[in-house]
Amino acid sequence: MTKVSVERELGEEALIRRTADAPAEGAFLPACFWLAGCRAMAGDVDRARATFERALACANDVGLLSEMSDPASGAALGNTPQALTHVALIVAAVLGWAPMIAVQPSA
């Protein structure tokens, strides 16, 4: 699947589901961060940041992320905290900063 087909087939409320076959399952947050990282690597930094921030907004009151989130309400679904989600967040953050650092003039 390409980024475009992932968004078209699995996207809802700017989040990404794990599968189209289980819509009640909610958005799969690691996939949302993976998409943000893919966008960053493709040079689409603005959309990468928007995807990253939308997924990050699903964190609970102490900043922890669950496995899934309800796309409409942002309510946590599944396991909380979820290590895979936090690892995906870190990787997406690193990938998102790389294009911005690369275009900075050297001192």
Side-chain angles (χ1 to χ4, degrees), residues 29-49:
L29 294 177
C32 301
F33 288 115
W34 295 334
L35 178 60
C38 288
R39 285 179 169 162
M41 288 190 302
D44 192 355
V45 178
D46 292 336
R47 290 188 73 203
R49 176 175 278 144

Side-chain angles (χ1 to χ4, degrees), residues 73-97:
S73 69
L77 303 172
N79 299 320
T80 304
Q82 177 56 256
L84 178 61
T85 304
H86 290 92
V87 170
L89 176 153
I90 292 165
V91 170
V94 169
L95 292 173
W97 278 105

Side-chain angles (χ1 to χ4, degrees), residues 2-94:
T2 66
K3 292 185 310 265
V4 173
S5 63
V6 165
E7 290 177 280
R8 182 182 62 243
E9 296 175 30
L10 302 175
E12 181 180 340
E13 301 289 332
L15 296 174
I16 302 298
R17 295 184 180 283
R18 183 181 354 217
T19 176
D21 298 333
E25 187 175 86
F28 187 55
L29 294 177
C32 301
F33 288 115
W34 295 334
L35 178 60
C38 288
R39 285 179 169 162
M41 288 190 302
D44 192 355
V45 178
D46 292 336
R47 290 188 73 203
R49 176 175 278 144
T51 301
F52 183 90
E53 289 176 354
R54 174 63 177 99
L56 189 59
C58 295
N60 66 16
D61 60 332
V62 294
L64 297 175
L65 291 157
S66 64
E67 174 183 18
M68 294 177 284
S69 178
D70 181 282
S73 69
L77 303 172
N79 299 320
T80 304
Q82 177 56 256
L84 178 61
T85 304
H86 290 92
V87 170
L89 176 153
I90 292 165
V91 170
V94 169

